Amino acid sequence: MDLSFSSSLSKTFPSSSSSSFLSVSNPFSFQLSGKPNTSQLLRFSPNPGFQCRIFFRKPLLSRENNHVVRAAQSSEQSENDDFVLEDVPHLTNFLPDLPSYPNPLQKSQAYAIVKQTFVSPEDVVAQKIVTRKDSARGVHFRRAGPQEKVYFKSEEARACIVTCGGLCPGINTVIREIVCGLNYMYGVEDILGIEGGYRGFYSKNTIKLTPKVVNDIHKRGGTFLRTSRGGHDTQKIVDNIQDREINQVYIIGGDGTQKGAALIYEEVERRGLKVAVAGIPKTIDNDIAVIDKSFGFNTAVEEAQRAINAAHVEVESVENGVGVVKLMGRYSGFIAMYATLANRDVDCCLIPESPFYLEGKGGLFEFIEERLKENGHLVIVVAEGAGQEYVAAEMHAAEQKDASGNRLLLDVGLWLTHKIKDHFTNVRKMTINMKYIDPTYMIRAIPSNASDNIYCTLLAHSAVHGAMAGYTGFTVGPVNSRHSYIPISRVTERQNTVSLTDRMWARLLASTNQPSFVISDALLQERVDRETIEEINNKKINSI
């Protein structure tokens, strides 16, 4: 049976078994529902026309040219059990005759002692780890790691690395480990560094990267290759890749950078080039969807403790001391939340996801006054994206964006400091001592800590294994602590934000004993109901 259909459609087709169906909702997502037949294999080739075929044969134990999803048979599976693999593209999808080669790791001394050197092509990682007995198996991603077959000979591989966007602890570690991983594990010696971000492809010189050149760059902050925002011109970039005969591209950057990586992959595929495009997601704010966390986040939370501790010492040493510490978090308050939970000296944490108000019962001013009367001092941590609507309205500021398309933020920390001082000096007639600390660029510019260094190594090696195995148009990251290959569209479709109905935010409120700034129980219930309805609707959409 041969089923073909356009990727713009969403249809359900019956298989040879009346209780098993194939459901396709996008080019990289498919679903088997009902009790599957163990002889069924779904082979997936996301070529430009998107053809999907079902073959009925014995399950394969390895995969070479096509993506394989097998639904395992179990007598304990319920009738509602279904399995979804959101797979990533492979070079053989548009270059079907591409030859493969044995992985050099077969002869590696480092991997000789490993019980299972290679990842099975059938290994997947579940996106949702906590489920109920009768719930669906849900979405899975391909597990990252070395594959038995590779699609690049060591002497033919020519890789390049580029870093884009803002700074973040750990970038240099990722660069170093991509270079060392390619060289030590796969014998690749031709590695280029693209200087100055995306525009470096067509306006800057490149630098030859070797393990010796990058040997100690992980001890430095910033990016060894320098960076920039914007400058993405897909045609010029791919022209340069083609002219330089580059066949592996490693792109380190955040949301906008990964969207650019997707465009590069699409153009590479359109031209039929043997070029693997791998993304390594970077954002200090931890706002990338799907993955457990982004690199640099642990370092940022740890370094933020120095600023919070300094603010606490300052306010504790004076009468009615009020300290305000502004931390990073344009749209997501993860750094502020985790830094607050880690410190224990913070009295109030303000994040973009949780609206707050200053005056009136239950407002910030009332809370500050009560805490000053109780302790004589107070520390407030505020994420840079919190309260922007108040600042913009008061300053009559028009919305502006940077070269990456991000909204330029106003200084909420400085604004909040002035509002607190004006209120207590002029309205409450109280003498207070204000202290304001903004450690943003100090945190961004430091080297990564031990935890992030290990994490960056795993990210880099996963990207190298994936590109050498012929995967392309993917990004890497941990999903439930297991590194996976994820379609770029999944990590750029939305931003990861703090959920005010999750236990972590409740833990923070319990730790600081601050107000939730929710005006009434009715408003809270309305918000919860709205999120519940949205969650149900999303599940319905995903199940179509």
Side-chain angles (χ1 to χ4, degrees):
M1 180 172 63
D2 188 343
L3 302 179
S4 302
F5 45 91
S6 169
S7 61
S8 62
L9 298 178
S10 178
K11 294 185 178 181
T12 301
F13 298 92
S15 71
S16 61
S17 170
S18 61
S19 61
S20 184
F21 294 87
L22 166 68
S23 174
V24 177
S25 56
N26 66 63
F28 302 140
S29 178
F30 41 85
Q31 176 175 334
L32 287 172
S33 61
K35 280 191 175 181
N37 186 319
T38 53
S39 64
Q40 293 178 14
L41 272 178
L42 176 61
R43 285 179 160 244
F44 176 57
S45 298
N47 55 34
F50 183 43
Q51 302 292 318
C52 185
R53 293 181 172 88
I54 300 178
F55 296 89
F56 298 93
R57 61 176 70 170
K58 293 182 179 180
L60 297 179
L61 298 179
S62 63
R63 181 206 58 75
E64 283 199 14
N65 294 331
N66 296 305
H67 301 277
V68 177
V69 176
R70 184 179 66 179
Q73 186 180 36
S74 171
S75 59
E76 296 179 1
Q77 285 181 323
S78 67
E79 291 292 338
N80 296 324
D81 191 22
D82 59 342
F83 178 96
V84 180
L85 173 62
E86 296 206 353
D87 212 348
V88 295
H90 195 271
L91 290 174
T92 55
N93 297 146
F94 56 93
L95 298 171
D97 298 325
L98 201 63
S100 62
Y101 314 97
N103 194 318
L105 290 179
Q106 290 177 346
K107 301 178 181 179
S108 169
Q109 291 183 349
Y111 277 80
I113 60 173
V114 178
K115 185 176 181 180
Q116 185 177 347
T117 302
F118 302 114
V119 171
S120 168
E122 297 183 7
D123 284 355
V124 295
V125 178
Q127 181 177 17
K128 189 175 181 181
I129 195 170
V130 179
T131 60
R132 296 183 178 180
K133 184 177 180 181
D134 58 348
S135 62
R137 293 180 67 187
V139 174
H140 297 71
F141 301 101
R142 186 169 293 279
R143 185 184 177 191
Q147 306 285 318
E148 190 172 1
K149 298 290 185 181
V150 297
Y151 287 80
F152 296 93
K153 289 183 178 180
S154 302
E155 62 273 16
E156 296 176 353
R158 174 172 246 205
C160 75
I161 306 170
V162 64
T163 59
C164 308
L167 297 183
C168 174
I171 297 176
N172 282 334
T173 304
V174 175
I175 296 172
R176 182 189 189 278
E177 293 308 318
I178 291 175
V179 174
C180 292
L182 282 168
N183 188 272
Y184 295 156
M185 292 189 292
Y186 290 98
V188 177
E189 296 182 353
D190 197 355
I191 308 170
L192 302 175
I194 306 297
E195 297 183 299
Y198 273 137
R199 58 172 53 91
F201 275 101
Y202 52 86
S203 64
K204 297 282 184 181
N205 293 326
T206 60
I207 181 173
K208 176 79 172 178
L209 299 179
T210 65
K212 185 176 181 179
V213 170
V214 301
N215 181 55
D216 64 348
I217 65 173
H218 63 291
K219 299 176 182 178
R220 313 177 207 168
T223 166
F224 175 73
L225 297 176
R226 299 197 298 277
T227 186
S228 66
R229 294 188 182 276
H232 186 279
D233 187 315
T234 305
Q235 296 299 323
K236 286 184 179 181
I237 291 172
V238 178
D239 285 345
N240 185 273
I241 291 171
Q242 192 169 2
D243 292 343
R244 292 180 181 271
E245 298 182 336
I246 294 169
N247 49 32
Q248 291 184 20
V249 182
Y250 297 91
I251 301 172
I252 307 169
D255 178 77
T257 301
Q258 297 304 312
K259 290 178 180 177
L263 294 175
I264 292 172
Y265 154 69
E266 290 170 4
E267 179 62 19
V268 163
E269 181 186 18
R270 189 187 69 79
R271 299 188 188 187
L273 305 178
K274 183 188 175 182
V275 178
V277 180
I280 296 92
K282 170 202 67 68
T283 170
I284 201 170
D285 294 347
N286 195 40
D287 60 0
I288 293 179
V290 180
I291 65 175
D292 296 345
K293 64 178 177 181
S294 53
F295 73 82
F297 174 70
N298 281 346
T299 304
V301 171
E302 182 177 307
E303 186 66 13
Q305 303 306 301
R306 296 178 59 191
I308 297 172
N309 290 337
H312 186 252
V313 169
E314 287 284 348
V315 300
E316 198 177 30
S317 302
V318 295
E319 181 182 2
N320 288 338
V322 178
V324 175
V325 179
K326 186 183 77 172
L327 298 177
M328 288 157 291
R330 179 180 297 273
Y331 304 109
S332 304
F334 287 105
I335 293 178
M337 180 174 70
Y338 277 81
T340 296
L341 282 168
N343 190 269
R344 305 295 176 177
D345 285 331
V346 179
D347 296 274
C348 185
C349 177
L350 305 175
I351 61 175
E353 296 88 338
S354 179
F356 66 92
Y357 54 99
L358 300 177
E359 301 177 353
K361 185 173 179 57
L364 183 61
F365 288 156
E366 181 184 73
F367 173 73
I368 292 174
E369 186 170 350
E370 291 175 354
R371 195 56 62 94
L372 287 176
K373 289 178 180 178
E374 181 181 352
N375 297 332
H377 61 271
L378 175 100
V379 175
I380 299 172
V381 167
V382 56
E384 62 181 333
Q388 285 295 313
E389 64 276 16
Y390 304 136
V391 190
E394 191 162 308
M395 298 179 66
H396 306 289
E399 184 172 307
Q400 296 180 322
K401 295 184 177 181
D402 62 19
S404 297
N406 297 315
R407 181 173 51 128
L408 290 175
L409 300 180
L410 301 169
D411 194 335
V412 65
L414 196 59
W415 171 83
L416 186 61
T417 300
H418 289 314
K419 296 297 289 185
I420 293 172
K421 188 170 184 178
D422 288 345
H423 173 81
F424 284 95
T425 302
N426 301 324
V427 179
R428 301 301 298 166
K429 307 300 180 183
M430 290 175 57
T431 300
I432 61 171
N433 287 283
M434 291 296 309
K435 310 293 180 182
Y436 175 47
I437 299 177
D438 180 359
T440 299
Y441 294 105
M442 294 177 64
I443 292 175
R444 284 179 19 154
I446 66 171
S448 54
N449 64 11
S451 174
D452 271 325
N453 266 336
I454 296 171
Y455 177 30
C456 289
T457 300
L458 295 176
L459 283 175
H461 286 191
S462 293
V464 168
H465 292 315
M468 289 297 296
Y471 293 116
T472 183
F474 69 90
T475 190
V476 296
V479 178
N480 292 318
S481 301
R482 291 291 184 271
H483 282 251
S484 310
Y485 297 134
I486 307 165
I488 294 178
S489 60
R490 283 303 311 273
V491 298
T492 59
E493 64 187 3
R494 66 175 182 86
Q495 288 176 313
N496 188 30
T497 57
V498 175
S499 174
L500 302 184
T501 57
D502 279 356
R503 290 188 179 90
M504 189 58 75
W505 183 245
R507 293 183 186 111
L508 181 139
L509 296 179
S511 174
T512 61
N513 199 28
Q514 70 184 66
S516 63
F517 299 109
V518 176
I519 298 175
S520 66
D521 292 339
L523 182 60
L524 175 62
Q525 187 60 46
E526 179 184 344
R527 180 179 298 157
V528 173
D529 289 345
R530 186 167 63 250
E531 291 187 359
T532 302
I533 292 171
E534 289 176 355
E535 183 178 351
I536 293 172
N537 288 337
N538 288 334
K539 287 182 178 179
K540 288 181 178 179
I541 292 173
N542 292 332
S543 65
I544 294 176

